[in-house]
Amino acid sequence: MNIAVFVSGGGTNLQAIIDNIKSGYLDGVNIALVVASNDGAYALTRASENGIPAVVKSVKAYESREAWDEDVLNTLIEKNIDLIVLAGYLSLLGEKTVKQYSNRIINIHPALIPSFCGKGMYGIKPHEAVLARGVKVSGATVHYVNENYDEGPIILQKVVDVLPSDTPEVLQKRIMKECEQVILPKAIKLISEGKVVIKNNIAYVEE
Ligand code: GAR
């Protein structure tokens, strides 16, 4: 299965996918392309250190959002991409790409959807909101992507306790390590093995 990993920042989730391919856990999965939303993303360094082809597709570099969408989609088709993985990608994909790759795009979100998600809830923000609300558990969610932020069928979730000593940064790190970097590779594996089925907007996982 050829995947394209979309990134905007540090790329710890990309690294987790790379490590799980190297270990053999993601047998048969190939990162055919990394797509970055900006040329400053450290994830690009991780791609080049691992010999993975990478491109920068910044919407600002195009005359319109539609032109950007079309170019992204053509690049994915050229590379025979089967699954798009949004791994810390902080933009919305274009409409054509979402339509063409319907039920073949997944995203990792650093909170337990449907809480602490939606427009503006990215990066450190969900963790700040979690602490401000005083909830006692948080975690991460892998879900399919449709045209609205964080609304597609949920594939996997993993939970951690929120501790009285947590700062947003401490909580973020724990969720990245204990939740995101576990369930994102796991979801890719399940999909590559044909073990995820969507019916009436619900994802059913055969484990
Ligand atoms: C991760 O915590 C990811 O869940 C989050 O951005 C971070 C990227 O880290 N994504 C979102 O907030 C999307 N709504 P990374 O670049 O080190 O993988």
Side-chain angles (χ1 to χ4, degrees):
M1 182 175 73
N2 278 334
I3 67 172
V5 183
F6 279 56
V7 295
S8 295
T12 56
N13 281 294
L14 169 65
Q15 190 67 52
I17 300 168
I18 294 170
D19 294 346
N20 278 287
I21 289 174
K22 283 188 181 161
S23 77
Y25 177 75
L26 286 176
D27 189 27
V29 174
N30 168 44
I31 306 176
L33 188 66
V34 165
V35 181
S37 59
N38 64 88
D39 58 13
Y42 183 70
L44 287 169
T45 305
R46 297 182 193 271
S48 88
E49 279 173 0
N50 288 279
I52 300 167
V55 290
V56 178
K57 300 281 182 195
S58 162
V59 69
K60 286 188 220 140
Y62 294 77
E63 61 184 26
S64 65
R65 216 181 129 73
E66 289 70 31
W68 162 78
D69 184 16
E70 186 114 13
D71 184 39
V72 169
L73 180 56
N74 287 338
T75 308
L76 297 171
I77 291 169
E78 232 167 68
K79 288 271 181 185
N80 289 316
I81 300 301
D82 301 304
L83 179 74
I84 299 174
V85 178
L86 307 184
Y89 184 66
L90 302 183
S91 314
L92 258 194
L93 282 178
E95 239 176 70
K96 271 196 171 172
T97 303
V98 172
K99 215 177 225 172
Q100 180 84 20
Y101 275 86
S102 169
N103 295 339
R104 292 188 297 152
I105 310 172
I106 62 172
N107 178 50
I108 178 82
H109 182 73
L112 297 171
I113 290 176
S115 292
F116 307 107
C117 65
K119 198 169 192 303
M121 276 292 178
Y122 60 86
I124 197 74
K125 294 187 181 161
H127 308 297
E128 289 170 349
V130 157
L131 293 179
R133 186 63 185 86
V135 295
K136 304 305 179 225
V137 293
S138 190
T141 304
V142 186
H143 63 96
Y144 283 103
V145 169
N146 59 22
E147 47 297 326
N148 301 316
Y149 277 102
D150 303 330
E151 281 186 9
I154 291 169
I155 305 166
L156 295 173
Q157 294 186 299
K158 192 163 189 286
V159 173
V160 292
D161 287 335
V162 177
L163 306 175
S165 59
D166 276 339
T167 62
E169 291 75 18
V170 167
L171 181 61
Q172 179 185 42
K173 267 203 187 125
R174 191 159 71 252
I175 289 175
M176 281 174 147
K177 187 159 181 270
E178 295 181 21
C179 305
E180 299 184 33
Q181 292 164 23
V182 176
I183 62 174
L184 185 58
K186 187 170 177 187
I188 295 170
K189 185 178 171 70
L190 289 166
I191 292 169
S192 75
E193 292 171 346
K195 291 185 174 164
V196 185
V197 177
I198 305 172
K199 266 188 222 151
N200 300 326
N201 211 36
I202 304 282
Y204 295 91
V205 178
E206 242 178 62
E207 292 212 45

